[in-house]
Amino acid sequence: MSTAVQPKGATASTAPVDFLPLQGTDYVEFYVGNAKQAAHYYRTAFGFQPLAYAGPETGMRDRASYALRQQKLTFVFTTPLHETGPIADHVRRHGDGVKFLALRVDDATSAWNETTRRGGRSYMEPTRIQDDHGACVLSGIHTYGETVHLFVERKDYKGAFLPGYRPWSTPYFQTPETGLKYVDHCVGNVGWNQMNTWVSFYEDVMGFRNILSFDDNDISTEYSALMSKVMSNGNGFVKFPINEPAEGKKKSQVEEYLEFYNGEGVQHVALATDDIVRTVRDLRNRGVEFLQVPPSYYDDLLSRVGAIDESIDPLRELGVLVDRDDEGYLLQIFTKPVEDRPTLFFEIIQRKGAKSFGKGNFKALFEAIEREQATRGNL
Ligand code: FE2
């Protein structure tokens, strides 16, 4: 990790100064083939609320973007309006997928300066955009694949989402929220032997730390070997696990992703809830499809994880997984891919003290993924 620079006037201290202070995830933007229909799916199935719209009617000639919100979660779905251009190229190569993991900062100019002078490749120089509701500063750097980290400075902005968007509301029907609250972590899949490149990127360019590592001894099933390292920023608000495929008997889940996404990209976004049973039941009733583990997973659950507050029956009924670490336990479940390509999916997670990622569930989970891969003929 590079040495942090002391701000002017600071006294020498053994604690490094965080050169990239992050307030959390600002939004996740997806490039998709049909943003109007994607927005409808995330409203009806996931319970997001209409927030803001940008398109030809607001002066955006090449795209349409729909911003949706639920608690602290903001998703944006953007589609190209023409055959050519970077958005159309992205959709053609990758299908629907995450383009921007946007991070909230107090100073987007400093964020860009600090990261680019440490080797970050610029996507967008600090750019001030404004409308009648104030001004935002955006900047950005590239990360793995064609994914971008935008830095969003919005302390002087009072509008619905960003300048260029207009508030979006619809009188047609209500889509009650499902209890999803914020982004817990976002996982990237990178190519063979690329793990250390990206670990170094997050350490050197963004000042993150590697807080957990899993190797192929921890997480190989018969086929689906992978390695994973969890990168966290200084205050722990932003966590980016990174997966790399490992040699297995047959094609691993990361390889399947890389083949169908046509390169590196975001594998899953984990969404936090305070009541996973309620949230998952609601999502399931609205048509969200989840991976299922065998009923035997629950037979010796309590002997594996100890006492938990929840009763086992609804967890078994819904397929919710449980894991424990030194600090507490967590409940989690994974959707099937939310596109026809076997690429991006979501995790729903409820943390009860645990700060880890469910290592105890990897085997049951990966066997469930392999069963799905086999039905696609990709194992
Ligand atoms: Fe996860």
Side-chain angles (χ1 to χ4, degrees):
M1 191 181 295
S2 61
T3 309
V5 176
Q6 294 283 346
K8 276 192 188 121
T11 52
S13 157
T14 51
V17 173
D18 187 354
F19 64 80
L20 183 61
L22 301 176
Q23 296 165 11
T25 302
D26 194 279
Y27 65 94
V28 180
E29 182 165 353
F30 305 74
Y31 279 178
V32 300
N34 187 335
K36 179 176 281 195
Q37 291 192 5
H40 193 78
Y41 173 72
Y42 283 89
R43 290 180 60 206
T44 53
F46 283 83
F48 282 80
Q49 308 298 308
L51 177 67
Y53 167 82
E57 302 88 341
T58 70
M60 293 273 210
R61 304 302 305 166
D62 67 336
R63 69 189 66 185
S65 292
Y66 296 78
L68 298 91
R69 181 163 288 166
Q70 179 163 195
Q71 304 294 315
K72 291 182 176 173
L73 276 169
T74 306
F75 281 1
V76 180
F77 299 92
T78 292
T79 200
L81 297 181
H82 303 292
E83 179 189 3
T84 57
I87 307 170
D89 290 345
H90 197 280
V91 172
R92 187 178 306 111
R93 273 194 294 275
H94 304 299
D96 291 4
V98 172
K99 176 63 181 177
F100 298 107
L101 294 171
L103 305 169
R104 178 95 47 97
V105 297
D106 196 48
D107 184 342
T109 305
S110 166
W112 187 87
N113 286 335
E114 296 291 337
T115 51
T116 55
R117 78 183 179 83
R118 286 172 170 82
R121 190 160 60 90
S122 177
Y123 172 81
M124 179 197 287
E125 292 185 11
T127 305
R128 185 183 163 88
I129 53 174
Q130 58 187 21
D131 64 14
D132 295 344
H133 305 287
C136 291
V137 182
L138 301 180
S139 64
I141 59 172
H142 294 269
T143 177
Y144 47 77
E146 293 198 87
T147 317
V148 169
H149 290 313
L150 281 185
F151 302 118
V152 182
E153 173 187 332
R154 57 166 71 252
K155 59 183 183 292
D156 298 322
Y157 192 66
K158 300 280 184 283
F161 177 52
L162 285 173
Y165 284 76
R166 71 181 186 196
W168 167 38
S169 61
T170 168
Y172 299 127
F173 69 101
Q174 300 297 313
T175 53
E177 297 193 342
T178 56
L180 299 172
K181 298 189 74 171
Y182 57 88
V183 173
D184 185 274
H185 59 274
C186 293
V187 180
N189 280 340
V190 301
W192 290 95
N193 304 314
Q194 294 302 304
M195 168 76 80
N196 290 337
T197 300
W198 292 107
V199 167
S200 298
F201 167 84
Y202 281 106
E203 286 177 345
D204 298 341
V205 173
M206 296 187 68
F208 282 40
R209 292 178 303 128
N210 176 208
I211 57 168
L212 278 174
S213 297
F214 310 100
D215 65 21
D216 49 353
N217 295 320
D218 292 320
I219 42 181
S220 74
T221 61
E222 194 174 359
Y223 304 130
S224 199
L226 64 80
M227 290 183 284
S228 190
K229 291 190 176 181
V230 182
M231 308 306 295
S232 172
N233 81 316
N235 61 17
F237 289 178
V238 177
K239 291 186 281 292
F240 292 143
I242 302 166
N243 294 331
E244 174 187 290
E247 290 290 350
K249 279 189 185 171
K250 290 192 181 178
K251 186 181 291 180
S252 80
Q253 54 171 302
V254 180
E255 286 179 274
E256 186 195 38
Y257 175 99
L258 295 170
E259 178 180 319
F260 282 88
Y261 197 70
N262 216 353
E264 302 178 338
V266 173
Q267 179 210 38
H268 74 266
V269 180
L271 309 175
T273 172
D274 287 337
D275 185 348
I276 196 165
V277 169
R278 196 215 118 194
T279 294
V280 171
R281 182 167 282 136
D282 202 354
L283 292 170
R284 218 161 71 151
N285 288 340
R286 296 169 187 224
V288 177
E289 298 175 310
F290 291 94
L291 288 176
Q292 290 298 317
V293 294
S296 59
Y297 172 89
Y298 296 91
D299 292 349
D300 57 349
L301 179 64
L302 293 183
S303 65
R304 278 185 281 129
V305 302
I308 57 174
D309 300 336
E310 294 73 16
S311 47
I312 298 295
D313 283 347
L315 302 182
R316 185 193 293 114
E317 173 208 336
L318 298 169
V320 172
L321 311 177
V322 189
D323 194 27
R324 183 177 286 280
D325 64 21
D326 293 343
E327 296 174 90
Y329 69 96
L330 62 82
L331 305 108
Q332 64 186 168
I333 189 170
F334 296 83
T335 73
K336 293 183 181 182
V338 290
E339 317 72 22
D340 291 300
R341 296 194 198 194
T343 53
L344 176 78
F345 57 88
F346 291 97
E347 172 181 353
I348 312 300
I349 184 166
Q350 181 179 4
R351 293 188 181 276
K352 304 195 94 169
K355 296 202 176 74
S356 53
F357 294 83
K359 177 176 156 183
N361 292 323
F362 286 171
K363 189 170 192 307
L365 185 63
F366 290 179
E367 285 170 353
I369 290 174
E370 286 171 7
R371 285 192 293 276
E372 296 285 321
Q373 269 182 270
T375 66
R376 295 190 282 262
N378 293 335
L379 190 61

